Amino acid sequence: MKSEIIKKRGYSKSISGDDFSLYISSYPESVLHVVKRIVNKGSVIAELCCGIGVTSRILCDYFDKVTSVDNDPAVMNHCRQNLSEQIRQGKSQLIIEDAFNEKVLSTISADIVIYDVPYWSDHDAGVEGAFTKKNPPLKSVVEKIRKNITNNIVIFSSPNVSYEDIVKQCGKCEYEKVYINDKHDRNHIYLGELMIKEGQSEVYLKTQQD
Ligand SMILES: C[S@@+](CC[C@H](N)C(=O)[O-])C[C@H]1O[C@@H](n2cnc3c(N)ncnc32)[C@H](O)[C@@H]1O
């Protein structure tokens, strides 16, 4: 399984991670697409719920400083290995804490926040809003990020969450449907100055290996 994911996503063979974390990590192509859209909006970025650091590793190539938060110590051990060079260079800072805790958020300064909504098996059922069952309501997470860090937020969400649901929770946004190799894989929700236009948009990405 691990070697299949590594090949399919085009990861370096030396990437550290368990099967599940590798499976739920972002496709490099989708991260690079987001980077292109947001890189001129700031130089310091934070990723909440960073997993093994696939996204954060790419962010380090484009931003001066990247703060990555995840509350799972085992996952963060993989992240530390994947970002070892960037940590050594002082570009990457890891925080092992609950990303929904306002006290933790109040210690972070960043121009932009990426929030990668933790993936729960509920998503597979296609139940509208299911992603809020185990995670706190998106509205409250976004409010805490806005209050403590910035209005410029990108949310990586499950494809099952509707535009209407996102608007109810986050207000004005750009809801970008992301197709990877023609499959609707996820949504990117852009808030604040990161919107190119309010409403729904789409992007079609291809991975190298499929
Ligand atoms: C979708 S993964 C992140 C994948 C990552 N963007 C990547 O590309 O590798 C979501 C992560 O959220 C983390 N998580 C779940 N609840 C959390 C919480 N309350 N605080 C911080 N991290 C949390 C999980 O440990 C998991 O690693």
Side-chain angles (χ1 to χ4, degrees):
M1 165 98 160
K2 184 169 170 173
S3 59
E4 266 172 48
I5 300 171
I6 290 175
K7 189 165 172 242
K8 207 170 156 196
R9 304 275 172 97
Y11 294 157
S12 146
K13 287 203 176 78
S14 62
I15 189 166
S16 180
D18 57 278
D19 281 2
F20 183 66
S21 295
L22 281 163
Y23 175 69
I24 62 172
S25 63
S26 298
Y27 282 85
E29 289 81 358
S30 65
V31 179
L32 284 168
H33 166 73
V34 171
V35 165
K36 262 195 240 149
R37 285 195 42 151
I38 65 175
V39 72
N40 61 347
K41 300 290 184 191
S43 56
V44 179
I45 190 161
E47 186 190 7
L48 307 183
C49 304
C50 66
I52 59 173
V54 169
T55 300
S56 289
R57 166 72 191 75
I58 296 170
L59 297 175
C60 284
D61 289 341
Y62 297 90
F63 292 87
D64 293 345
K65 191 171 168 228
V66 180
T67 298
S68 310
V69 186
D70 201 290
N71 67 348
D72 184 328
V75 164
M76 283 304 248
N77 278 339
H78 292 301
C79 189
R80 191 172 298 106
Q81 288 186 49
N82 293 329
L83 292 169
S84 58
E85 183 54 25
Q86 292 71 22
I87 293 169
R88 199 189 56 74
Q89 291 167 356
K91 283 197 119 187
S92 158
Q93 179 201 11
L94 306 191
I95 301 180
I96 309 174
E97 290 285 358
D98 177 4
F100 308 134
N101 179 336
E102 204 162 342
K103 277 200 190 137
V104 173
L105 298 184
S106 71
T107 65
I108 297 172
S109 336
D111 304 312
I112 300 170
V113 167
I114 290 181
Y115 168 39
D116 194 344
V117 177
Y119 183 96
W120 307 109
S121 53
D122 273 350
H123 289 168
D124 292 336
V127 181
E128 193 179 338
F131 77 122
T132 61
K133 279 191 183 158
K134 274 198 175 182
N135 298 320
L138 184 60
K139 189 174 193 282
S140 76
V141 180
V142 167
E143 276 169 7
K144 285 181 201 171
I145 299 171
R146 282 181 173 143
K147 182 173 155 208
N148 291 284
I149 312 178
T150 178
N151 289 325
N152 295 336
I153 303 167
V154 189
I155 302 161
F156 293 174
S157 94
S158 136
N160 299 328
V161 186
S162 70
Y163 172 63
E164 290 72 23
D165 193 18
I166 293 286
V167 171
K168 254 188 242 155
Q169 303 211 46
C170 305
K172 274 189 188 177
C173 67
E174 180 180 343
Y175 171 99
E176 184 183 61
K177 283 187 175 179
V178 183
Y179 291 83
I180 297 183
N181 299 332
D182 297 322
K183 175 177 171 271
H184 182 197
D185 183 81
R186 58 185 55 222
N187 299 321
H188 295 152
I189 316 299
Y190 301 92
L191 304 179
E193 290 169 24
L194 306 180
M195 276 187 268
I196 293 176
K197 69 171 178 84
E198 189 187 342
Q200 301 191 52
S201 59
E202 308 181 328
V203 65
Y204 290 82
L205 304 170
K206 292 274 178 213
T207 62
Q208 307 154 13
Q209 303 291 328
D210 279 357

